[in-house]
Amino acid sequence: MTADLDAARELVPAFLDELRAWVNIDSGSDHKTGVDQVGALVRARFERSGFAVETHPQAVYGDNLVARRKGSGRMRLLLIGHMDTVFPVGTVAERPFTIRDGRAYGPGIFDMKSGILAGITALDLAGAETLDRFAAITFICNSDEEVGSPGSTPLIRAEASQADVVLVLEPTRDPACVTVARKGIAAYTLDVQGVSAHAGVMPEAGRNAILELAHLIIALQGLHGSLPSLSVNVGAVYADGRRNVVPDRAQAHFEMRAAEPEIFAQGQAAIEAIIAAPRVVPDTVVTLTPGPVHQPLALTEGARKLVAVAGSVGAELGLQIKPLSIGGASDGNTTGGMGIPTLDGLGLIGQNSHNPDEHIIIDAIPVRLALLAGIIRALPDVIL
Ligand SMILES: [Zn+2]
């Protein structure tokens, strides 16, 4: 294990050089050209490590990459990282990759270009002999995670259905942390159709869509906190009208989150029950349109075994592994929601994702590479 740490220290200068090239290309989710340019560099890096890389073309978002390596063992390992960022074109020109006070800054460096590179580097560190002990190692680099993975989720689901273990390379805040649970998220659009009328001459002919929506918002927000970990947020309301006209249309966007799969399902059912209940404003018509759903990533029995592996590898590196439960979703929700043992938060250490001060801690790179390499080396002996 300390051999890994020594080897990882040697790799840091080359790691940062490669990362600089990746970070210095704007790759916001909606900037396909940039994401594809990053993809070309990522592909070349995989090929240098002996992986065969497939491109899965996408019309709107960047192309997804799937890197593969076959071995002669039994376990099928899937790693996942995303190449897109939340930053618009021009961000790199404003604040390119910079090293200052032991930290490396740049758009998407922490979340999570460094995670993809850490994954590839850790596979190198684990070594060919270890990699041959797997039946297959598959590494998805997707292009659209920051907008909810609309184009890559089918690919992730297909590959996860062929995997025994999933490692997600999202970043985390402290060298000892791994992410074991993430809340599920259900997003919705709510439309209310009423009847417009002159507010002074014939108010009784009108059916006020805003008023009905107001009652619905209060009922939905009433679910917030009604079950452990359940949160509801009505985050946007749209209604365009005039003071003297009874409004006939109103819309709200909201989301529900919960940590446990059972609570998540109960939250979804409670929302549907509110919509199915009789209307407060008679004759208004309510339509609930579900958006993307991220199932909760929960600490299942299989995931506990992965945490135990991380715990013993971490102990050898002087880290007392801390399993984190967090509110934000990742592609780990998709694989965990399918019941595939998933360990997340295996990327690098830093702070301020989605923020101009986003950075990674350079000193923490070797220990995280060694942790990941050690986990990969231990996996073929884990009985799931
Ligand atoms: Zn991310």
Side-chain angles (χ1 to χ4, degrees):
M1 222 52 81
T2 48
D4 276 343
L5 205 47
D6 291 340
R9 282 196 191 99
E10 302 283 311
L11 295 174
V12 170
F15 183 96
L16 290 172
D17 276 346
E18 182 76 28
L19 187 57
R20 179 194 309 268
W22 295 12
V23 169
N24 280 344
I25 298 170
D26 282 315
S27 65
S29 314
D30 57 0
H31 182 41
K32 176 173 169 59
T33 318
V35 177
D36 287 343
Q37 284 169 356
V38 172
L41 297 182
V42 172
R43 163 190 279 273
R45 180 64 189 78
F46 271 117
E47 287 171 348
R48 289 209 298 282
S49 289
F51 280 74
V53 185
E54 297 161 8
T55 299
H56 291 248
Q58 298 286 300
V60 177
Y61 299 105
D63 297 341
N64 296 310
L65 301 182
V66 180
R68 295 184 199 278
R69 188 188 194 285
K70 299 281 175 222
S72 52
R74 298 250 285 274
M75 184 176 278
R76 301 164 301 172
L77 171 64
L78 175 63
L79 298 104
I80 303 177
H82 64 85
M83 303 182 285
D84 60 320
T85 77
V86 297
F87 298 104
V89 175
T91 308
V92 168
E94 259 170 52
R95 42 180 191 87
F97 179 98
T98 316
I99 293 178
R100 204 168 59 240
D101 302 328
R103 295 160 188 222
Y105 293 80
I109 191 165
F110 175 54
D111 183 12
M112 58 167 283
K113 288 178 178 176
S114 63
I116 295 177
L117 190 54
I120 305 172
T121 310
L123 290 164
D124 287 347
L125 267 180
E129 226 170 274
T130 293
L131 304 192
D132 285 339
R133 298 187 63 215
F134 290 87
I137 297 174
T138 307
F139 198 143
I140 297 177
C141 295
N142 60 333
S143 60
D144 55 357
E145 194 272 349
E146 295 291 6
V147 290
S149 303
S152 59
T153 297
L155 174 68
I156 290 169
R157 294 186 70 87
E159 293 297 337
S161 72
Q162 303 295 311
D164 302 305
V165 169
V166 180
L167 303 180
V168 182
L169 298 157
E170 289 285 349
T172 191
R173 61 186 185 215
D174 152 337
C177 288
V178 296
T179 304
V180 295
R182 292 177 179 272
K183 283 187 171 185
I185 309 175
Y188 298 92
T189 300
L190 186 58
D191 283 285
V192 182
Q193 179 71 54
V195 178
S196 67
H198 192 297
V201 179
M202 286 188 67
E204 65 284 357
R207 299 290 182 263
N208 192 320
I210 293 176
L211 178 60
E212 177 60 27
L213 182 62
H215 284 285
L216 285 164
I217 289 170
I218 289 168
L220 290 165
Q221 286 289 159
L223 296 175
H224 181 87
S226 63
L227 292 167
S229 88
L230 182 72
S231 66
V232 173
N233 185 56
V234 179
V237 171
Y238 304 96
D240 197 7
R242 303 173 69 86
R243 177 181 50 77
N244 57 358
V245 178
V246 176
D248 66 347
R249 266 197 277 200
Q251 186 184 66
H253 294 187
F254 70 100
E255 60 157 49
M256 179 274 294
R257 298 188 187 220
E260 296 299 325
E262 303 72 35
I263 305 280
F264 188 72
Q266 287 174 42
Q268 287 174 305
I271 288 166
E272 281 158 24
I274 286 170
I275 305 309
R279 301 276 71 87
V280 177
V281 179
D283 309 327
T284 52
V285 177
V286 173
T287 312
L288 180 71
T289 311
V293 174
H294 297 273
Q295 294 294 330
L297 170 62
L299 189 52
T300 57
E301 201 186 319
R304 276 180 214 282
K305 293 182 182 173
L306 301 181
V307 175
V309 169
S312 55
V313 175
E316 291 183 51
L317 293 164
L319 301 173
Q320 197 182 349
I321 293 298
K322 289 181 265 186
L324 294 185
S325 300
I326 58 185
S330 83
D331 289 319
N333 291 67
T334 301
T335 60
M338 293 169 66
I340 318 291
T342 298
L343 194 59
D344 197 345
L346 290 169
L348 292 191
I349 305 313
Q351 260 175 344
N352 296 334
S353 56
H354 300 193
N355 178 296
D357 275 328
E358 176 181 9
H359 61 265
I360 57 168
I361 308 290
I362 293 173
D363 269 355
I365 296 174
V367 77
R368 292 293 286 191
L369 293 177
L371 176 66
L372 192 46
I375 292 171
I376 292 166
R377 197 172 287 123
L379 279 178
D381 297 318
V382 176
I383 312 288
L384 287 160

